[in-house]
Amino acid sequence: MALVKYNNNSISAVTSAASMPSGAMTHIKTLTASSSSTLSFVNGSSDVVLDSTYPIYVFKFINIHPATDNKSLTFQTSTNGGSSYGVTLTSTFFYAYHKEDNSAAALSYDDSSDLAQSTSFQAIMNLGNDNDQSGAGTLTIFNPSSTTFVKHYMSNTQYYEDGDRSFNTYTAGYFNTTSAINAVQFKMASGNIDAGKIKLYGIKDS
């Protein structure tokens, strides 16, 4: 296969963005926390798209920092445009951790963080609030606009927790509704989200 090389002349010859391939992931909205009680992504509000435009939506967490020590970032969804959050869900939750001083490490299922046909907010990651502690990761929701199937989600996070431990957590589950999900809200289990960003992306069909 021949190697194609581009130079300034070949790039300047492009007359339309459509002439160049576009990525499958499209940025939709970024919300920045500043002592925020909640961060909500509502379809049709503030340029948020959360409908049949994309079959997959991805949220990215960047340096999430809580106001209150040792509290979980949580999320829930809505089928009524954010008027209420509490769609019935069932989930699993497991983690691996390792302490800074190498004194402890573990891989464990966490039955205190999973939910069974619950309308509660689902924990994503449990954070410390030291100045240098924060968390990052992703949450993926599949086909939220479907009116046929339940709505599956998966989340993977990495954070620096109270107790000076590196935590890698996985939670996954489904929202047990055939109604379209059109809003997602994030909040701490207690206290505010002191700082950090949550970015929403849509992934196109292949």
Side-chain angles (χ1 to χ4, degrees):
M1 181 177 67
L3 179 64
V4 179
K5 295 184 178 180
Y6 292 97
N7 55 36
N8 288 337
N9 291 334
S10 59
I11 295 299
S12 63
V14 176
T15 58
S16 163
S19 300
M20 303 183 72
S22 59
M25 183 177 287
T26 302
H27 177 252
I28 297 171
K29 184 74 175 182
T30 298
L31 295 181
T32 301
S34 180
S35 297
S36 305
S37 58
T38 62
L39 293 177
S40 303
F41 294 82
V42 180
N43 180 55
S45 175
S46 301
D47 300 320
V48 171
V49 175
L50 194 61
D51 57 18
S52 60
T53 302
Y54 301 97
I56 303 171
Y57 288 87
V58 178
F59 297 88
K60 291 187 176 287
F61 312 115
I62 302 170
N63 289 336
I64 303 298
H65 185 265
T68 305
D69 194 37
N70 196 26
K71 299 300 178 184
S72 292
L73 178 70
T74 68
F75 87 105
Q76 246 291 0
T77 62
S78 172
T79 59
N80 55 19
S83 295
S84 62
Y85 291 89
V87 179
T88 300
L89 73 96
T90 294
S91 64
T92 63
F93 193 104
F94 71 95
Y95 62 81
Y97 81 83
H98 189 197
K99 290 199 71 172
E100 278 185 3
D101 62 6
N102 202 31
S103 63
L107 172 65
S108 179
Y109 185 85
D110 185 358
D111 59 8
S112 67
S113 295
D114 64 13
L115 297 173
Q117 290 300 100
S118 172
T119 58
S120 298
F121 274 64
Q122 172 65 52
I124 300 173
M125 52 181 165
N126 193 67
L127 299 164
N129 75 337
D130 289 356
N131 289 338
D132 62 346
Q133 292 178 331
S134 66
T138 62
L139 166 69
T140 305
I141 299 179
F142 298 89
N143 204 14
S145 66
S146 172
T147 54
T148 302
F149 301 110
V150 300
K151 316 305 184 296
H152 297 283
Y153 81 87
M154 298 186 300
S155 180
N156 175 214
T157 62
Q158 161 61 36
Y159 52 95
Y160 180 14
E161 195 217 29
D162 177 63
D164 294 330
R165 296 179 289 181
S166 171
F167 261 84
N168 183 208
T169 64
Y170 293 84
T171 179
Y174 62 92
F175 290 93
N176 197 6
T177 180
T178 55
S179 297
I181 285 175
N182 51 25
V184 179
Q185 185 177 89
F186 299 90
K187 67 179 182 179
M188 302 305 301
S190 178
N192 291 337
I193 307 173
D194 176 63
K197 293 182 179 181
I198 301 180
K199 292 178 171 284
L200 172 61
Y201 297 84
I203 298 181
K204 301 175 183 178
D205 279 322
S206 58

